[in-house]
Amino acid sequence: MARARVLSGVQPTGALHLGNWLGAIRNWVNLQESHDTFFCVVDLHAITVPHDPARLAADTRSTAALYLACGIDPAKATVFVQSQVAAHSELCWLLNCVTPLNWLERMIQFKEKALKQGDNVSVGLLDYPVLMAADILLYDADLVPVGEDQKQHLELARDIAQQRINSRFGTEEAPILKVPEPMILKEGARVMSLTDGRSKMSKSDPNEGSRINLLDPPELITKKIKRAKTDPLMGLEFGNPERPETDNLLGLYALLSGQAREVVASECAEMGWGRFKPLLAEAAVAALQPLQERYAELAADPAELDRVLANGRQRASAVAEATLARTKAALGFLGAG
Ligand code: TYM
């Protein structure tokens, strides 16, 4: 039997952080053992907000290198760059023409990002979830491993596939697009900012101290954790709604040290911040060290990364082109039947 398909991606905007790793990429590494996996660097998504053309290519390469450094194995998974597979843009157009505008206007992330940009909001920012739906649907993905913040976008992809394509242009026996399922981990799906336990860790937060980037050197990681927001109470605990920072930092400690939450809860129950923060910093530095070493090796061998991406592009294109042709045929295009 064919293995179930997985597709996911990260935007090459700014440095990848602990949220991207613990919420998404960590899960990809496990899935590549049991599933047919496709991981793309979604560079077309990165231009939905103003971007720097001088940085886009380098950020795209470094994001792909980080996938590999995190443990994605190109012998098992297909790693590719979204803009190098033209079918993403083409399917996006087809889906645009059947997606109601008000579905997009409801998207929480659009509303949040649009608010920050005032009059400069692009059509691309509004359309971003349709492009994301195209990314997923092109690969007939069964599962999409993401953090909690992408859940609404995944529901939209499901609705477009089911209600707007399959039920209008297909039959129950022969659906055109596969309806994907989200896969959101119980722990790590919502890593919060170091400076505000009520908002998520994000690449776009102007305060660098709010996040730990995967390539931050040990001294910087230690400094950011030292300055992380806390509260004046003694003893650390999970799940107290009045103490979101405590919950977040303890959760990070559990994930980064590889210990169960119960173990961490009892280890830290009587601790003050002065003892806890160095422990957390040490766990973060140790967890990121192997990844940073692998990244340095990859950065020294750009030809190897080029080979991986060229191969990924070829494998991804073959799958994507077949889905695009099937969809164009169902929509009645000349020469597509
Ligand atoms: P992006 O680039 O913002 O984030 C990449 C992945 O990291 C997860 N994530 C988090 N998880 C836990 N805690 C956090 N603080 C945190 N911040 C980010 C995200 O949920 C995501 O899984 N639209 C997507 C990229 C995308 C995509 C796709 C994903 C485009 N096409 C197709 C899956 C399938 C995005 O902007 O993710």
Side-chain angles (χ1 to χ4, degrees), residues 15-33:
L16 268 59
H17 54 66
L18 277 184
N20 301 131
W21 187 39
L22 299 174
I25 302 174
R26 177 176 64 111
N27 198 7
W28 304 358
V29 177
N30 297 328
L31 286 165
Q32 69 182 342
E33 304 300 332

Side-chain angles (χ1 to χ4, degrees), residues 10-14 42-53 56 82-83 89 92 96 104 109-133 135 150 153 203-204:
V10 175
Q11 290 192 57
T13 5
V42 291
D43 54 347
L44 293 171
H45 278 90
I47 66 163
T48 56
V49 291
H51 81 288
D52 179 358
L56 184 60
Q82 182 192 33
S83 66
S89 304
C92 177
N96 275 339
L104 300 180
Q109 214 169 65
F110 170 70
K111 288 196 249 183
E112 283 173 0
K113 287 194 184 176
L115 213 64
K116 286 189 199 147
Q117 292 192 41
D119 283 346
N120 261 330
V121 177
S122 69
V123 174
L125 188 67
L126 178 71
D127 198 31
Y128 164 125
V130 182
L131 179 59
M132 178 163 163
D135 299 339
Q150 297 300 319
H153 293 159
K203 292 184 205 126
S204 58

Side-chain angles (χ1 to χ4, degrees), residues 320-335:
E321 286 299 333
T323 312
L324 180 64
R326 199 169 73 227
T327 311
K328 284 177 83 172
L331 267 55
F333 282 94
L334 176 67

Side-chain angles (χ1 to χ4, degrees), residues 61 298-309:
R61 291 181 68 85
L298 286 157
D301 187 2
E304 172 58 14
L305 188 64
D306 288 341
R307 271 193 297 277
V308 168
L309 293 177

Side-chain angles (χ1 to χ4, degrees), residues 135-156:
D135 299 339
I136 297 166
L137 301 173
L138 273 178
Y139 296 89
D140 290 327
D142 297 279
L143 283 180
V144 185
V146 283
E148 181 73 39
D149 62 337
Q150 297 300 319
K151 197 167 168 203
Q152 196 188 27
H153 293 159
L154 272 167
E155 279 158 12
L156 184 94

